[in-house]
């Protein structure tokens, strides 16, 4: 165990280490070009296998956009798996949301591509901002991200994170030469929306899996963008590829002695989940065992503090439409009436921890619990979180969609007039 990890276990020291200021200003992510198209018909379908795009942010304002639900702002983040690989199930899910009046006003997609983004925008009446890059000579692949919005779309831009060749090579070497996804670039797609007259900035991310140091670097770059934003009202969302439920290292003894509660330490995760099934894409706790990553997560939560912990209501939607709260799941887990390790126990674990990542069945046909909250939303103090919902009613991806509903607060005058960097 490294020294920072040992210190984390001392009373009062762990939270202090996690909240220490970043010692230097991170280099700014690179701003990519933006192209505003006159209509969805103006999109050129890429001829590449994954159809991710050419590295420009593409913006289309739908001429017959459907009205937002209101009041307030409802936002979803959803990793739809390789350009909507399970397309029939994905469209059935969105059809159900629309028919039941549950379609969010704004949807941030990860692992999108041009065809699925255009289809969803056209089919359900959304403005669209999309970015992806198929790579090629002199350019790296960047997986597709999209925003679908029924609120007015003011502008959009993508920033690609700056990562040196030496840092990337060192990470690949740590993996024994296996590059995995580390050859790809990462970044943030930012849109400015007008929500019932208020400007709101939303940042959509899909961070690196395969090396916790690179993931921490991604989050540090996002925090740099957030510090220099122009708009006080802001939400960061997406697939962080890190178990954002984990806040600190924790105590081995307390993890074994405490009654079942929120799994928010590395030690509690190890006791309750052990080594998860490899199909979740990352062995162990999910990158977050690295103190550098937990530090950047604390920095993010300082700037955008309105999280699942502050929502007036938190729930998990189940197949068939029933809902269950994490507290209800915890009560069942503590009751002693559910056999430890049974399928019911495993599902209760994921509900209790608001996990958003699904696993494939193991060799016995049992779907393990992952306990991993890779997909999340963080909002500025000007946005009051009313609802946080993980939707486990769909099997259209290996991630669960997450929905949050906010009531905008009026921004303080000082926040509106303070000097901001010209970059967003």
């Amino acid at each position: 165990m490294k020294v920072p990890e040992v210190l984390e276990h001392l009373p009062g020291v762990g939270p202090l280490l996690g909240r220490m200021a970043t010692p230097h200003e991170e280099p700014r992510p690179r701003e990519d070009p933006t192209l505003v198209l006159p209509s969805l018909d103006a999109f050129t379908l890429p001829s590449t296998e994954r159809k991710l795009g050419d590295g420009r942010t593409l913006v289309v304002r739908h001429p017959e956009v459907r009205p937002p639900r209101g009041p307030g702002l409802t936002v979803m983040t959803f990793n739809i798996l390789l350009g909507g690989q399970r397309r029939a199930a994905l469209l059935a899910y969105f059809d159900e949301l629309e028919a039941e009046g549950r379609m969010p006003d704004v949807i941030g997609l990860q692992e999108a591509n041009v065809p699925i983004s255009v289809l969803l925008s056209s089919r359900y009446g959304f403005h669209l901002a999309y970015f992806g890059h198929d790579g090629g000579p002199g350019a790296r692949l960047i997986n597709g991200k999209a925003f679908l919005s029924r609120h007015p779309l003011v502008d959009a831009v993508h920033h690609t994170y700056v990562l040196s060749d030496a840092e990337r090579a060192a990470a690949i070497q740590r993996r024994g030469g296996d590059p995995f996804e580390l050859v790809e670039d990462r970044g943030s797609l930012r849109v400015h929306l007008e929500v019932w007259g208020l400007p709101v900035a939303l940042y959509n991310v899909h961070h690196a899996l395969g090396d916790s140091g690179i993931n921490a670097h991604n989050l540090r770059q996002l925090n740099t963008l957030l510090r220099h934003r122009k708009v006080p009202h802001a939400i960061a969302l997406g697939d962080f590829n890190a178990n954002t439920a984990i806040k600190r290292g924790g105590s081995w003894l307390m993890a074994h002695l405490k009654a079942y509660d929120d799994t928010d330490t590395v030690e509690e995760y190890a006791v309750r989940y052990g080594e998860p099934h490899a199909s979740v894409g990352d062995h162990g706790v999910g990158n977050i065992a690295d103190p550098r990553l937990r530090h950047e997560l604390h920095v993010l939560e300082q700037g955008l503090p309105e999280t699942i912990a502050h929502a007036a209501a938190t729930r998990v939607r189940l197949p068939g439409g029933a809902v269950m709260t994490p507290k209800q799941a915890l009560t069942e887990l503590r009751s002693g009436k559910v056999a430890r390790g049974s399928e019911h126990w495993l599902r209760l674990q994921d509900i209790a921890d608001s996990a958003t990542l699904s696993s494939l069945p193991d060799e016995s046909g049992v779907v393990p619990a992952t306990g991993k909250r890779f997909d999340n939303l963080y909002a500025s103090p000007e946005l009051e979180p009313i609802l946080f919902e993980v939707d486990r009613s769909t099997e259209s991806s290996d991630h669960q969609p997450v929905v949050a509903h906010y009531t905008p607060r009026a921004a303080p005058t000082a926040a509106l007039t303070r000097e901001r960097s010209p970059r967003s």
Side-chain angles (χ1 to χ4, degrees), residues 90-400:
L90 183 67
L91 294 179
Y93 173 61
F94 279 113
D95 285 347
E96 181 178 295
L97 291 177
E98 188 77 322
E100 295 179 359
R102 295 192 293 118
M103 184 69 82
D105 307 323
V106 181
I107 302 173
L109 301 175
Q110 303 85 44
E111 296 198 25
N113 63 13
V114 171
I116 193 65
S117 301
V118 170
L119 173 61
L120 295 176
S121 172
S122 173
R123 185 178 176 114
Y124 301 107
F126 284 99
H127 300 306
L128 172 63
Y130 172 83
F131 180 90
H133 202 315
D134 281 297
R140 294 185 181 273
L141 184 145
I142 305 176
N143 219 325
K145 297 183 288 290
F147 270 115
L148 304 169
S149 176
R150 288 178 173 173
H151 288 288
L153 174 56
V154 179
D155 61 38
V157 66
H158 185 272
H159 289 92
T160 298
Y161 300 150
V162 176
L163 179 67
S164 70
D165 291 340
E167 289 175 293
R168 196 186 307 268
I172 293 173
Q173 187 174 9
R174 288 193 291 270
R175 293 182 53 84
D178 173 19
F180 191 49
E181 298 178 355
L182 300 181
V183 293
E184 301 176 13
D185 271 341
R186 303 285 171 160
S188 169
L189 175 62
R190 190 272 297 150
V191 293
H192 283 152
L193 304 180
E194 185 178 297
V195 179
W196 310 116
L198 284 173
V200 180
L202 293 97
Y203 297 77
N204 183 357
V205 304
H206 183 202
H207 284 172
L209 186 65
D211 185 85
S212 58
I214 300 300
N215 192 293
H217 175 274
N218 291 168
L219 195 49
R220 188 159 60 249
Q221 290 264 285
L222 174 64
N223 284 330
T224 297
L225 288 173
L226 291 168
R227 278 196 302 275
H228 294 282
R229 72 183 189 272
K230 298 176 183 177
V231 175
H233 296 73
I235 298 170
L237 59 84
D239 176 4
F240 290 84
N241 266 323
N243 191 353
T244 57
I246 304 297
K247 306 302 180 186
R248 58 193 187 280
S251 161
W252 180 91
L253 179 62
M254 291 304 296
H256 283 78
L257 293 180
K258 284 173 67 177
Y260 208 114
D261 63 354
D262 298 341
T263 305
D264 60 2
T265 73
V266 175
E267 294 290 355
E268 287 174 348
Y269 188 94
V271 168
R272 295 170 186 177
Y273 294 94
E275 184 74 9
H277 194 260
S279 66
V280 301
D282 171 67
H283 292 283
V285 71
N287 274 329
I288 206 75
D290 190 329
R292 296 169 297 176
L293 183 49
R294 291 201 298 278
H295 163 70
E296 294 302 333
L297 181 61
H298 286 310
V299 173
L300 175 63
E301 291 185 348
Q302 280 183 312
L304 301 180
E306 299 296 357
T307 65
I308 179 176
H310 301 141
T314 303
R315 67 192 186 197
V316 176
R317 186 173 293 272
L318 306 174
V323 295
M324 189 176 201
T325 68
K327 288 184 177 179
Q328 289 171 328
L330 284 172
T331 299
E332 281 203 51
L333 289 168
R334 293 170 181 157
S335 70
K337 298 177 181 178
V338 181
R340 182 179 292 271
S342 66
E343 287 205 46
H344 187 43
W345 174 276
L346 296 173
R347 299 292 71 78
L348 287 172
Q349 279 189 296
D350 275 336
I351 295 169
D353 288 321
S354 297
T356 66
L357 194 64
S358 296
S359 180
L360 294 173
D362 62 18
E363 59 276 5
S364 303
V366 175
V367 177
T370 70
K372 295 184 179 183
R373 195 184 307 154
F374 275 19
D375 310 86
N376 217 332
L377 301 97
Y378 300 85
S380 62
E382 297 83 8
L383 295 167
E384 180 182 0
I386 305 301
L387 172 67
F388 188 100
E389 177 181 289
V390 178
D391 194 342
R392 302 187 73 87
S393 70
T394 177
E395 295 183 355
S396 53
S397 176
D398 57 347
H399 290 248
Q400 316 308 141

